[in-house]
Amino acid sequence: MTAPALSPTLALACELINRPSVTPLDEGCQALMMARLGAAGFALEPMHIEEVENFWARRDGGTGEGPVLCFAGHTDVVPTGPHEAWQSPPFAATIDDAGMLRGRGAADMKGSLAAMLVAVERFVADHPRHRGAIAFLITSDEEGPALHGTQAVVERLRARGERLDWCIVGEPSSSAALGDTVKNGRRGSLGATLTVRGKQGHVAYPQLAKNPIHLAAPALAELAAEHWDDGNAFFPPTSFQISNIKAGTGATNVIPGELQVLFNFRFSTESTVEGLQQRAAAILDRHGLDWQIDWALSGLPFLTEPGALLDAVSASIRAVTGRETTPSTSGGTSDGRFIATLGTQVVELGPLNATIHQVDERILASDLELLTEIYYQTLVRLLAC
Ligand SMILES: [Zn+2]
C-alpha cells in the first residue's frame, strides 16, 4: 500500500492481510499485535501450544476489582485457492476504486483485529485508569482443527481461575449492513457416521442378498422429515442434514453389503445430545436396520441473554450507524462456544460476511472505521470511569 492517508485501522488491517497466515500459521501477525498492546500497557502472555501460536494479554485499569472485557479473534485465514482467480493478489491488501478493502482475511477476520486493537489503543489513551480490565485472546487456529487454539487457552485460563465477564468476538456477523446482526449464541453441532449393514449379492438374485440402500432409504426419509423441536425465542428449530451417502462397488450388477451416511444436527437449547441420539436410534430400530453410529460432538449450544454486554453493543451500533441490531444464533460454530464455558457473556460483532472464505474476499473500507468506533463506544459504555 502506498496510499498516503490510510487510517490507523486500515493501515493495520493491510499489514495483517499482507502476512500469508494460512491456518494454522500466524506469520508474525500476533507479534505485531503484541508489540502494540505492550506499548499500550498490556501484560503479554504468548501461549505456544503444539504447532499453534496463541496469546493472552491483559491490562488492568488500576482501580481495583472490576469487570473484565475480552476481545477475541484469530489471525489465521482459510486457503486462497488459485491466486489467478483473484482480481488482486490475496496477500497484498489494496483498496479499490469502489472503496473496498480486498485481500484474504479482510472480513474474516483481520479487519476486526485491526479495529479492536485501534479502538483499545484509543480508549486506553483517553481512559488510562479505566474500570476493571481489558483482555485479548488471540489464536492462529480457528479455521483449522482448533484443538490447540482458543479451546486450549480457555482451559489454561480456567485452571488458574481467570474471570471473564464479557467477550466480544470479531467474527463477521453482519449480513446486509454493518451492525445489522450480532451473534449472541450459536447452535450446537452433532455429527454422525451411520453404517447400515446388508448382505452383498447379485442384482439378479435379490432373494440371496440384503440391500442396505433399500433398507435404509425409508429410515433416512423419516430422519429427514422428523420435527426435532420448535426452537425458542433465541434459536431456530433444530435441523438435520445428510451431507454424504455412500454405497456400491461401482459395478452395476452387485448389491452392496454396506451403506454409509454422514449426517449432522445443528441443535437449539431445546434439544440435548442424548435426546437427539436416542430419537435417531429409535427411528433406525423401528425400521429393523442392522446399524451402528459413531457420534462426534463438535460444540454444545450457547446463549448470551440480554444484559450489560448486549445492551452496550446494541447502543453503540445504534449511536454509530443508526441501526437497530438483531441478535441471532444462526450460522456455523465459532470459538465463542469455548469462551462461553467460562460463564462469560459472549457477543460476536464484525463486518459483513458476504465474501468470507471466497475468492476476492472484501469489505467496505469505511466499515472498518465504523467498526472501530463501535468497539470504542462499547469500551466506554462498559469500562469508562
Ligand atoms: Zn473467522
Side-chain angles (χ1 to χ4, degrees):
M1 290 302 302
T2 51
L6 282 184
S7 72
T9 299
L10 282 173
L12 179 56
C14 291
E15 269 193 87
L16 292 170
I17 291 169
N18 292 348
R19 293 164 197 254
S21 54
V22 174
T23 189
L25 299 181
D26 170 67
E27 295 290 322
C29 293
Q30 293 182 16
L32 182 61
M33 293 182 70
M34 281 191 280
R36 302 268 293 250
L37 289 170
F42 279 74
L44 305 169
E45 200 177 332
M47 292 192 193
H48 192 100
I49 304 175
E50 300 293 331
E51 76 285 9
V52 176
E53 308 277 349
N54 310 284
F55 79 84
W56 169 252
R58 179 179 160 128
R59 183 189 197 279
D60 285 86
T63 58
E65 274 299 286
V68 181
L69 168 60
C70 174
F71 288 91
H74 59 89
T75 52
D76 58 325
V77 296
V78 294
T80 59
H83 286 208
E84 312 83 77
W86 288 62
Q87 188 172 311
S88 61
F91 297 119
T94 181
I95 298 173
D96 69 15
D97 295 341
M100 304 297 285
L101 171 66
R102 293 176 164 269
R104 174 58 87 223
D108 186 9
M109 56 168 281
K110 290 174 169 176
S112 312
L113 295 180
M116 53 180 64
L117 202 142
V118 169
V120 165
E121 284 175 338
R122 264 181 59 202
F123 177 76
V124 164
D126 295 349
H127 305 269
R129 281 181 59 78
H130 53 80
R131 288 175 69 209
I134 309 169
F136 275 77
L137 195 176
I138 305 294
T139 181
S140 66
D141 181 24
E142 196 273 342
E143 303 286 9
L147 286 175
H148 308 300
T150 301
Q151 185 171 21
V153 175
V154 162
E155 287 321 313
R156 291 191 182 188
L157 298 178
R158 191 195 319 279
R160 68 189 197 203
E162 193 98 35
R163 199 183 87 226
L164 261 72
D165 299 272
W166 304 309
C167 180
I168 297 176
V169 186
E171 289 294 342
S173 62
S174 305
S175 56
L178 182 75
D180 61 356
T181 309
V182 298
K183 300 284 167 72
N184 66 327
R186 293 281 190 159
R187 291 174 293 175
S189 175
L190 175 64
T193 303
L194 164 68
T195 305
V196 176
R197 280 173 295 266
K199 182 170 181 246
Q200 187 177 314
H202 195 299
V203 293
Y205 300 91
Q207 70 277 16
L208 301 178
K210 255 172 77 181
N211 190 326
I213 301 175
H214 292 198
L215 294 170
L220 296 181
E222 194 173 329
L223 285 168
E226 181 74 3
H227 183 78
W228 302 96
D229 62 44
D230 290 321
N232 53 35
F234 302 102
F235 286 93
T238 292
S239 74
F240 165 93
Q241 285 294 312
I242 295 174
S243 60
N244 285 267
I245 185 161
K246 199 168 70 189
T249 62
T252 56
N253 58 357
V254 179
I255 292 170
E258 212 172 79
L259 170 78
Q260 203 180 65
V261 181
L262 271 53
F263 62 81
N264 179 274
F265 286 107
R266 290 300 157 107
F267 61 103
S268 75
T269 44
E270 296 296 304
S271 287
T272 63
V273 173
E274 298 70 32
L276 293 171
Q277 289 172 335
Q278 283 164 12
R279 288 172 63 189
I283 290 173
L284 297 169
D285 282 340
R286 196 150 65 236
H287 288 268
L289 302 180
D290 177 5
W291 63 271
Q292 188 225 320
I293 291 185
D294 289 323
W295 295 100
L297 176 66
S298 49
L300 291 168
F302 73 91
L303 177 69
T304 292
E305 298 204 34
L309 178 61
L310 206 50
D311 286 352
V313 164
S314 305
S316 301
I317 291 171
R318 191 182 308 119
V320 174
T321 69
R323 286 180 197 111
E324 291 300 322
T325 195
T326 306
S328 158
T329 58
S330 67
T333 60
S334 89
D335 276 359
R337 69 187 190 270
F338 302 125
I339 299 165
T341 65
L342 294 171
T344 307
Q345 294 181 30
V346 179
V347 167
E348 296 172 27
L349 164 60
L352 269 65
N353 53 31
T355 61
I356 59 172
H357 296 206
Q358 296 181 13
V359 162
D360 290 331
E361 180 175 344
R362 61 198 180 279
I363 51 169
L364 259 181
S366 57
D367 273 357
L368 280 193
E369 314 302 346
L370 298 179
L371 185 61
T372 306
E373 185 61 29
I374 293 169
Y375 288 152
Y376 177 84
Q377 291 201 12
T378 304
L379 279 156
V380 169
R381 285 186 162 85
L382 292 173
L383 294 184
C385 278

